[in-house]
Each structure stands twice: as structure tokens, then as C-alpha cells.
Amino acid sequence: MIDDSTYRTLISAANLQALIKLGGCLIVDCRFDLSDTEKKRSEYLQSHIPGAYYAHLDEQLSSPILPDTGRHPMPDVAKLTSWLAGCGFDGSQQVVVYDDSFGAMASRLWWLLKCLGHESVAVLDGGWQAWLAAGFQTDAQLPQSDPIEYTASLDSNCVVNSVQIMSALKAGDSSPLQLVDVRSNERFIGAAEPIDPIAGHVPGAINMPLTDNLDEQGCYRSPQQLQEMYRPLLQQHSAHELAFMCGSGVTACHSVLAMVHAGYDMPRVYAGSWSEWIRDCNRPRATGE
């Protein structure tokens, strides 16, 4: 049974199945493999949730990499909204996004839609695995939609950039900005770096790995558990003063979703994140705890 007419953070596989039967929701498959960028598109073409469109992280949810950007720059808003319109989105539908990495990729589109001002968007809790485990239907048909118009502007207050981070570091304790790095502790302290050429973190950042958002089944923890987890961050900072980061600004959105699901206001994202920060050798870096 559907327990809410609008889903703004998470949705269960059972409730998504009920929405599909009612019709009118837009579903987007965001599966992606950083080590093989075409693998998940191929898997989507073989099998996906009925009616789901596919969003490729590099093509729809990011812009091309430039010499001074991170690995997944923010997408061009006009191109993003045009693609959404091509999926039949007009700004009024319930959107559901999913992946097979427990929300780490799908949360990027969730966050982008929030930044565009669309509230009715949710991540499938437990992702593709939860859908399969429930025994719900899959197919390989590609969805079709009629031409439609959709335009929106991105709320610049949702993001922080490298210039703002440098200014905050120079201001020291007088700056209210607090970075929260969601990468694994191993990457944060610089003990290992499997993706980027330089290991470590931005000085002053706090490490809260995104994996802590999940339970043993790979679903998000309860709002009450997430409230307890994130409450210490809000003792000295408002949610807007928090800027979540990761390696490239994608998986940081996973923890933004966790905070919103806990009932807190939406924090910001350092969109360039570590892979952009290290592009400039004059920016300070730290290792260790």
C-alpha cells in the first residue's frame, strides 16, 4: 500500500511497484561503474525496471572534464533539463531514481533535481537489488515519450566551489563553513587512493563515510538513527553551513540525502570535491586523522 502521495527522499520497492500500477511517475536507472563506464548501460539494455530511462553519469549527470575541474563536473543545466524533457518530464511528476550501488549514484540525480527546485523525487531504497529480491517485473523495452518542454534554473546556494573553500580556510575559525568528506577513512587519511593521483583530504574536513548511512541490508538507516548520527554536526553549524564532499561530487549526495531523510535541512555539496581540489598544487592538503 502506498503510504504517501509524494516521495521526497526514499521509496521502497513495494511502493514503487504500486506507483507504477497507478502510472504517471518517471523512473530513471542510474546504474554506473566507474571502472567500466559502459558496463551498466549494457546491463540496462538487457534488463531494467519497466518504463525506466537510463541516465549515464558522464553524459547526462556531468559535464566534460576540463583542466581545472574534478572528475564529474556539474552538468550544463540547459542540457540536463533538455534531457529530462526528452524523458517526458515537465516538472510535475513523481520521479524515482535507482542504481545497484545502494544509492551512491542515483543520489546524484536526486540532488540535481532538488537543486532545480523539484521536490517529488526519491531514491529506491536498496536499489536494483531490492527490486529483484521482491520478485517484481523487469523488461528490456526502451521507453518512449512525446516531445515536451521543461526549463528550470539551478539554485546556486546548493553548491560550494574551490574558491569558497580556500576563502574559508584562510578565514580559519571565523568561517562558518564545515567540510564533511564522505569517502572511506582509508582514503581520507591518505593510506590508500584507488582513483585519484594524490591521496589525503582538505585540511579541516571531517570524515563521515557514506557507508555509515546504510544498514546491513544496504538500505538507509531509519530517520531516527540518522538523526543521532548527524546531530553532532549541527551543534555548531546550521545545515547550510555544511558542505559535503567526496572524490568527485557524486557520492557526497548520498549523505545529503541521509540528512534530509533524517528531517534536517539540505546541506550543500562541494561539487568539485577532492579530484578538483588537487588540480591546483597551491591548495593545501592533509593526511592522517
Side-chain angles (χ1 to χ4, degrees):
M1 177 181 293
I2 297 179
D3 56 17
D4 192 349
S5 59
T6 300
Y7 296 89
R8 300 187 175 189
T9 55
L10 299 171
I11 185 171
S12 68
N15 283 347
L16 174 57
Q17 170 71 352
L19 277 182
I20 291 173
K21 289 181 178 180
L22 290 175
C25 68
L26 171 65
I27 306 171
V28 184
D29 186 319
C30 300
R31 285 178 285 174
F32 192 77
D33 187 332
L34 291 172
S35 63
D36 184 348
T37 60
E38 288 305 309
K39 178 180 179 181
K40 297 301 177 178
R41 178 163 26 210
S42 296
E43 291 181 7
Y44 161 81
L45 292 173
Q46 296 170 11
S47 180
H48 53 258
I49 294 176
Y53 290 83
Y54 183 70
H56 192 284
L57 177 61
D58 291 340
E59 296 172 11
Q60 281 79 43
L61 308 183
S62 306
S63 293
I65 299 173
L66 299 176
D68 60 345
T69 70
R71 288 182 278 107
H72 295 106
M74 289 286 286
D76 178 83
V77 175
K79 291 181 179 179
L80 175 60
T81 54
S82 176
W83 171 76
L84 286 166
C87 296
F89 182 66
D90 63 7
S92 67
Q93 299 99 320
Q94 170 72 58
V95 181
V96 176
V97 296
Y98 73 92
D99 58 29
D100 59 358
S101 50
F102 309 107
M105 298 297 161
S107 57
R108 166 80 161 204
L109 181 51
W110 173 88
W111 176 73
L112 286 169
L113 281 164
K114 292 288 187 180
C115 294
L116 291 173
H118 187 66
E119 288 297 325
S120 302
V121 53
V123 170
L124 175 59
D125 202 12
W128 176 241
Q129 295 92 324
W131 186 262
L132 295 178
F136 294 135
Q137 181 183 358
T138 65
D139 66 32
Q141 288 187 318
L142 298 183
Q144 302 291 329
S145 63
D146 295 326
I148 202 167
E149 288 190 11
Y150 170 66
T151 58
S153 58
L154 191 88
D155 183 356
S156 60
N157 289 320
C158 292
V159 298
V160 297
N161 57 38
S162 297
V163 173
Q164 290 170 298
I165 301 297
M166 276 295 292
S167 296
L169 289 179
K170 291 177 181 178
D173 293 340
S174 64
S175 171
L177 185 67
Q178 176 61 61
L179 276 177
V180 184
D181 193 321
V182 309
R183 294 175 300 160
S184 68
N185 185 254
E186 194 176 43
R187 291 180 70 190
F188 180 81
I189 66 175
E193 182 45 69
I195 302 175
D196 293 307
I198 299 173
H201 61 267
V202 178
I206 295 171
N207 184 216
M208 294 186 69
L210 66 89
T211 49
D212 292 347
N213 298 323
L214 303 172
D215 62 20
E216 293 180 355
Q217 288 72 46
C219 292
Y220 271 83
R221 297 186 185 277
S222 70
Q224 294 75 21
Q225 291 173 318
L226 293 171
Q227 283 175 13
E228 289 297 316
M229 193 169 92
Y230 286 101
R231 185 174 290 121
L233 289 178
L234 299 171
Q235 291 177 352
Q236 296 181 344
H237 302 277
S238 69
H240 189 69
E241 291 171 342
L242 302 175
F244 283 79
M245 65 172 290
C246 54
S248 65
V250 174
T251 60
C253 302
H254 191 277
S255 292
V256 172
L257 171 57
M259 280 202 70
V260 176
H261 188 57
Y264 297 124
D265 291 337
M266 192 168 79
R268 292 181 286 175
V269 170
Y270 173 24
S273 282
W274 182 246
S275 58
E276 178 176 300
W277 186 257
I278 60 176
R279 289 292 188 120
D280 187 338
C281 63
N282 293 315
R283 293 175 185 145
R285 304 154 188 164
T287 54
E289 295 291 352

